[in-house]
Every structure is written in structure tokens, then in C-alpha cells.
Amino acid sequence: DVTLTILPGVEMLFENGTGLTNNGILVAKGTSGQKIKFFPKSQQPLPGQWTGITFNNSKTILGSDSTYISGSVLSEVEIIGSLYSVTLDHGSKVLIENTSIGHCPFGINILESGNNTIRGCNLIYCDFAIFIARGYNNPDNRIYDNTISSSSDVGIFINSISTQSYRNLITGNLVTSSNIGVHF
């Protein structure tokens, strides 16, 4: 039940091999003029230098019109050079909107998580931009109006056996210059 709020314009720099694990509520709401930045500390960043942001058991409440009310959110954020830029795990329900993610092996990694909203994001130079893992229950995610470009492997990858990933809404996304745009 602890909330960490990161204010607009804050830059967080991560040492090699470190990251941010959230077991409560993370509110990172920048503005279009003052983005919140999560970058590697190195002056010459390479993909995977820091581990990324992990959400465990985070909950977000959206209004009936999908506006943010409370809980974990990444809005107007830039994430560069991490291994798993954002990992959604252990039943997390998170809003990620208007966020730029780039230069990473995995942009958004959905492990055991449903009811997430990922919208209006820009994912560039990620091996896998949005990855829904197999072997986990990942229902009811809404992935829409994102721009995905220059993925060396797959833009949107749903790796599921049987019916573990179901009722996911994936619409209005623009995937360009990627090896494979969408893989089911």
C-alpha cells in the first residue's frame, strides 16, 4: 500500500544491472513538456544496461471512459536502454500511455497480468516491442493506438499455448519497419 510518485521533469539514471521493482503503486505522470525519464547512467548507453521497471500486484482504476482515476500509471514517460523496459507481473493492472520506449530487447513484457491498458505509446528499436508471454494468464489487455517501429524481431508478439491469453483487444496500432509486425 505504499505509493511512489515521480514528478514531471524528473530524470532517473540507473547503474548497470539495477532497476525499479514496484510492489505497491507507482505514479509517474509527466507532461508533454516535462517528460519523466528512465535512462541508464552510462554516457554511452547500450540496450540492456539496466533491468527496467517491474510491476508486481499493482492495481489501477480507470473510469468508464478509460480515464485514469488512481493506481499505477506511466504517462508521458521516456524509457531507454533497459533489458525489460516494463514488466507487468503477478496480477498487475497498469495504465501505460503516451510513453516512449526504445533501444531495448523487450519494450513491454506481459507475464502474469491482465486488464492493462497500453495506448498512445511509441516503441522504437526494441527486439520485441510488446511481448505477451506464454504459460501465464494474460486476459483482457487493451493495446491500442500505439506506434511500433524498427523492431528487429517482432512488433507485437503473443506467445500463448491454449487459452491463456484471451479477450485481448489489439487495435489501431501502426507497426512499421519491423522484421515481423504481429505474431500470434
Side-chain angles (χ1 to χ4, degrees), residues 118-138:
I118 303 164
R119 63 182 178 212
C121 295
N122 183 28
L123 294 100
I124 187 167
Y125 296 114
C126 299
D127 296 343
F128 295 89
I130 298 174
F131 187 90
I132 300 177
R134 73 176 175 177
Y136 301 96
N137 286 318
N138 297 307

Side-chain angles (χ1 to χ4, degrees), residues 68-140:
Y68 171 79
I69 295 175
S70 66
S72 290
V73 60
L74 296 175
S75 181
E76 299 290 351
V77 169
E78 291 181 20
I79 304 169
I80 301 294
S82 58
L83 179 59
Y84 293 94
S85 295
V86 178
T87 298
L88 306 172
D89 202 1
H90 296 97
S92 289
K93 177 183 177 183
V94 178
L95 169 62
I96 305 169
E97 65 179 357
N98 306 321
T99 291
S100 296
I101 298 173
H103 302 280
C104 58
F106 290 86
I108 299 173
N109 185 30
I110 302 174
L111 289 181
E112 178 80 31
S113 184
N115 293 295
N116 296 289
T117 299
I118 303 164
R119 63 182 178 212
C121 295
N122 183 28
L123 294 100
I124 187 167
Y125 296 114
C126 299
D127 296 343
F128 295 89
I130 298 174
F131 187 90
I132 300 177
R134 73 176 175 177
Y136 301 96
N137 286 318
N138 297 307
D140 301 309

Side-chain angles (χ1 to χ4, degrees), residues 34-54:
Q34 288 189 300
K35 304 258 188 209
I36 296 170
K37 297 179 180 181
F38 297 91
F39 290 179
K41 187 175 179 182
S42 171
Q43 294 298 318
Q44 297 177 351
L46 298 170
Q49 284 185 320
W50 65 288
T51 59
I53 303 167
T54 300

